[in-house]
């Protein structure tokens, strides 16, 4: 392949990554109870979410809380952990899928809520579940170029409104087994928030170097998973098969270009389900014990999923550890990014 599938960074580092858990745990058993009328009518098991997806529970925000307020909270935590003042931030990227309005951007409220300076660029970057990793790449490139010194990447997700409309639709007397399977992935979603501070590695020798990685697109599959406020409609089998093919292609492309990810200390993947995780592990022969799993308790938190998992793992990572962040987003797109802890 001729092009820019692989990339490297010269002087960018992860200074801090933080997360905010939504406080209300909602179990899959509760979802089954909400869907009991249709499950009985369609002769479907009450245990599909746990048995097939491996999702035991997911989180919702408490009444009166919002995803963008949680993103502000996560951003403030990350800045404090990094020891970076709001006035030092030159770029804010919000990568949330969730949004209340088409405009203005979600980023403007977060920029204001964090008290960032007028000189700090701010905008939304949307690329399904891959947005947060894309945001880190963009920020790292801008740091390498000297355009900015520090960047803040955030994501806040709220699955409840979409899931409420899904309950209503699936419990309609005219719903079918095909409808349930097409919207099954919606029931695995969860709420949460995450943030990361990116800065120059030479000014922070104790930080975690963002080395680079690989990105690949398979946009011929852009109709396999289509989501909006009314619901998320997925060809689960097609998404898994074609997503895996894209991951394998990107993996081999990276290794042809000099990367070696066969013995990483941690593989932090976008969290989807048991079948997805098992398939990724098998496809590129990952060491299972080095793949942390968070979807059973959080569900799929969209672009916040991977950084929330990374924030959890950061408590047990040691200096010198090699971490590979791996994500696939609807569309399809995939990115893998190596961080030297």
């Amino acid at each position: 392949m001729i092009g820019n599938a692989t990339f490297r960074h010269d002087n960018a580092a992860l200074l801090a990554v933080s997360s905010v858990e939504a406080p209300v745990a909602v179990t899959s058993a509760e979802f089954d109870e909400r869907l009991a009328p249709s499950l009985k009518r369609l002769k479907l098991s009450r245990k599909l979410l746990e048995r097939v997806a491996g999702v035991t529970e997911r989180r919702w925000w408490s009444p009166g809380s919002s995803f963008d307020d949680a993103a502000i909270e996560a951003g403030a935590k990350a800045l404090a952990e990094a020891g970076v003042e709001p006035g030092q931030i030159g770029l804010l990227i919000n990568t949330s899928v969730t949004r209340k309005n088409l405009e203005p951007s979600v980023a403007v409220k977060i920029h204001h809520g964090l008290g960032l300076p007028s000189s700090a660029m701010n905008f939304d970057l949307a690329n399904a579940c891959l947005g947060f990793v894309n945001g880190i790449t963009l920020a790292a490139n801008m740091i390498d170029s000297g355009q900015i010194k520090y960047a803040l990447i955030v994501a806040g997700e709220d699955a409840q409104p979409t899931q409420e409309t899904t309950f209503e639709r699936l419990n309609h007397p005219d719903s079918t087994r095909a409808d349930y399977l097409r919207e099954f992935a919606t029931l695995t979603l969860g709420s949460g928030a995450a943030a990361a501070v990116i800065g120059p590695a030479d000014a922070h020798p104790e930080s975690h170097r963002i080395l680079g990685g690989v990105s690949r697109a398979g946009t011929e599959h852009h109709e396999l998973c289509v989501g909006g406020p009314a619901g998320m409609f997925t060809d689960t089998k097609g998404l898994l098969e074609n997503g895996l093919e894209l991951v394998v292609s990107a993996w081999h492309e990276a290794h042809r270009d000099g990367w070696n990810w066969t013995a990483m200390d941690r593989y932090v993947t976008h969290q989807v389900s048991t079948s997805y995780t098992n398939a990724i592990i098998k496809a590129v022969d990952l060491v299972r014990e080095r793949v942390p799993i968070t979807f059973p308790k959080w569900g799929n938190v969209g672009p916040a999923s991977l950084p929330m998992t990374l924030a959890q793992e950061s408590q047990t990572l040691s200096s010198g550890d090699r971490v590979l962040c791996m994500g696939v987003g609807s569309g399809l797109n995939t990115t893998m990014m190596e961080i030297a802890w």
Side-chain angles (χ1 to χ4, degrees):
M1 174 179 290
I2 299 174
N4 58 349
T6 59
F7 52 92
R8 286 172 170 79
H9 299 298
D10 298 323
N11 190 38
L14 175 69
L15 307 190
V17 58
S18 66
S19 66
V20 174
E21 258 190 33
V24 181
V26 187
T27 66
S28 289
E30 292 176 76
F31 271 31
D32 287 343
E33 192 61 35
R34 292 282 299 270
L35 289 166
S38 64
L39 292 174
K40 182 178 180 180
R41 178 173 55 82
L42 299 173
K43 295 181 174 57
L44 289 167
S45 168
R46 280 179 174 238
K47 297 287 186 178
L48 284 176
L49 280 167
E50 293 187 41
R51 192 175 70 247
V52 176
V55 177
T56 303
E57 64 181 41
R58 77 285 294 138
R59 301 302 180 107
W60 284 356
W61 301 112
S62 56
S65 300
S66 70
F67 71 96
D68 42 13
D69 287 333
I72 292 171
E73 182 182 349
K77 284 178 62 177
L79 288 170
E81 291 171 14
V84 173
E85 295 296 325
Q88 295 177 274
I89 295 296
L91 171 69
L92 167 72
I93 304 178
N94 168 66
T95 63
S96 307
V97 169
T98 304
R99 57 189 309 115
K100 296 175 183 175
N101 313 295
L102 291 176
E103 59 176 327
S105 70
V106 178
V108 295
K109 178 179 176 178
I110 298 169
H111 181 282
H112 175 71
L114 288 170
L116 301 185
S118 178
S119 56
M121 290 178 285
N122 61 97
F123 50 82
D124 291 352
L125 185 161
N127 196 17
C129 295
L130 203 57
F132 201 98
V133 180
N134 293 152
I136 292 177
T137 299
L138 178 57
N141 285 334
M142 293 177 70
I143 290 168
D144 282 346
S145 74
Q147 184 174 356
I148 61 169
K149 190 169 184 180
Y150 295 103
L152 180 63
I153 317 300
V154 300
E157 301 302 335
D158 186 0
Q160 183 177 357
T162 300
Q163 288 171 334
E164 294 284 6
T165 60
T166 299
F167 291 145
E168 183 178 348
R169 188 162 47 248
L170 292 181
N171 275 329
H172 191 277
D174 293 336
S175 68
T176 65
R177 289 172 69 98
D179 292 330
Y180 183 87
L181 295 175
R182 197 163 59 107
E183 299 196 53
F184 182 77
T186 307
L187 304 176
T188 69
L189 299 176
S191 305
V197 177
I198 315 299
D202 57 4
H204 299 270
E206 76 290 351
S207 60
H208 318 301
R209 285 289 304 273
I210 302 169
L211 300 181
V214 64
S215 182
R216 272 272 186 114
T219 53
E220 64 272 25
H221 305 299
H222 66 274
E223 295 183 339
L224 292 177
C225 181
V226 178
M232 187 168 74
F233 307 93
T234 305
D235 175 349
T236 305
K237 184 174 182 290
L239 194 67
L240 178 60
E241 291 178 352
N242 291 288
L244 280 178
E245 183 179 348
L246 196 63
V247 166
V248 171
S249 295
W251 178 274
H252 291 310
E253 173 79 7
H255 283 75
R256 285 194 297 271
D257 200 39
W259 296 97
N260 183 2
W261 295 328
T262 58
M264 306 298 285
D265 295 288
R266 212 69 51 92
Y267 297 93
V268 180
T269 64
H270 169 58
Q271 301 288 305
V272 179
S273 66
T274 299
S275 57
Y276 171 86
T277 302
N278 288 341
I280 291 288
I281 290 172
K282 182 178 179 181
V284 290
D285 196 24
L286 304 182
V287 179
R288 181 176 294 273
E289 292 73 21
R290 298 179 185 179
V291 182
I293 304 298
T294 58
F295 64 80
K297 63 177 180 178
W298 290 337
N300 175 357
V301 200
S305 170
L306 190 152
M308 287 179 69
T309 304
L310 182 60
Q312 173 182 281
E313 292 303 298
S314 68
Q315 308 305 312
T316 59
L317 289 168
S318 302
S319 178
D321 282 348
R322 298 176 66 208
V323 179
L324 186 66
C325 297
M326 306 174 65
V328 178
S330 300
L332 291 167
N333 286 288
T334 188
T335 294
M336 303 171 198
M337 173 184 292
E338 181 176 348
I339 301 174
W341 213 260

